[in-house]
Amino acid sequence: MAQPLMPHATASWMVDNTALSFEQIAEFCGLHILEVQAIADDTAATKLTGRDPIRAHEVTQEEIDKGSADPNYRLKMLKGPEQVRRTKGPRYTPVSKRQDKPDGIAWIIRNHPEITDGAIGLLIGTTRTTIAAIRDRSHWNIANITPKDPVTLGLTTQRELDAAVAKAAKAAGIEAPTDTRLEGDREALIEQLRAERTQAAADAQFVAEGGVLPVKTVFEDPFKRY
């Protein structure tokens, strides 16, 4: 499925400017729902500047309106941007994050030993030599390497990691692990988000038709510094 040219920036704009559910935004932008939730909660690694997909001619306002009215509707792109695909060489990683690569590699080796060195190299953007050194603990800085989730480190996305795990599990003939981080709360969270966005859409329609919403009392924090 085609995805926006700048998925995270597009998701940020949709969170702030539409009544779409997190599920719909994640599906449209090709992100994991937890990534969208982090963007909405402003807990993403960096504050994103929203990118309007309507002005970018990636979706129409009518399509967004359809999605806002029906939480089960999946938005369709007008035309997917030309995807830039790497034909060779490792993934580019910003200089500020390169020091985190060994930690991310160690985490994958420990938690998903079924993933091949080649797949790790494509996922993290590193070499087989580095991966092998971490596997056999001959890496020059092995004493300071601490396994950390590469998604949390910003080295890859949850969707890409999940895809790599599923592919490796299938090749190894084992069952892929299930993401249980939201188990028990997922449905409640989704329903709450849907209810909030449905109410927001209803309020917007009410105001558009000339209605006036009741004023909500806001209590200022006397200790807040401006």
Side-chain angles (χ1 to χ4, degrees), residues 15-209:
V15 166
D16 292 336
N17 297 279
T18 73
L20 297 169
S21 70
F22 285 7
E23 265 192 320
Q24 290 172 307
I25 296 174
E27 181 74 19
F28 180 78
C29 296
L31 302 175
H32 194 282
I33 190 172
L34 293 178
E35 294 180 275
V36 178
Q37 183 179 346
I39 292 172
D41 293 340
D42 288 336
T43 56
T46 57
K47 177 62 178 175
L48 297 169
T49 299
R51 177 176 183 270
D52 186 347
I54 299 176
R55 295 184 61 184
H57 304 293
E58 293 175 344
V59 71
T60 63
Q61 181 62 55
E62 290 75 16
E63 191 73 3
I64 289 178
D65 291 342
K66 287 181 182 179
S68 300
D70 180 6
N72 295 316
Y73 183 77
R74 293 293 177 261
L75 275 67
K76 301 178 181 64
M77 288 193 65
L78 287 175
K79 179 182 178 182
E82 293 296 327
Q83 298 294 321
V84 178
R85 301 185 183 277
R86 294 179 293 110
T87 56
K88 60 181 180 179
R91 171 199 300 272
Y92 172 77
T93 304
V95 176
S96 61
K97 294 184 180 296
R98 291 179 189 176
Q99 63 185 8
D100 297 328
K101 284 186 177 184
D103 293 344
I105 295 168
W107 186 92
I108 294 177
I109 291 174
R110 185 185 69 179
N111 293 280
H112 299 289
E114 69 277 9
I115 299 182
T116 65
D117 289 1
I120 296 176
L122 292 174
L123 197 63
I124 302 295
T126 187
T127 65
R128 292 175 183 266
T129 301
T130 300
I131 299 170
I134 294 175
R135 278 190 186 279
D136 62 23
R137 302 191 63 80
S138 63
H139 191 278
W140 66 272
N141 194 35
I142 193 65
N144 296 315
I145 294 178
T146 303
K148 295 179 183 177
D149 188 338
V151 175
T152 303
L153 294 174
L155 298 173
T156 187
T157 67
Q158 188 65 50
R159 182 176 289 258
E160 289 174 322
L161 178 60
D162 289 345
V165 171
K167 183 177 180 180
K170 182 178 180 180
I174 61 178
E175 184 177 353
T178 302
D179 182 1
T180 59
R181 284 171 296 176
L182 290 181
E183 187 173 357
D185 295 329
R186 183 185 297 275
E187 292 303 323
L189 172 62
I190 291 175
E191 288 302 320
Q192 179 184 347
L193 293 173
R194 284 177 177 171
E196 290 176 355
R197 294 193 176 279
T198 299
Q199 184 60 52
D203 289 346
Q205 183 65 29
F206 179 70
V207 172
E209 294 175 352

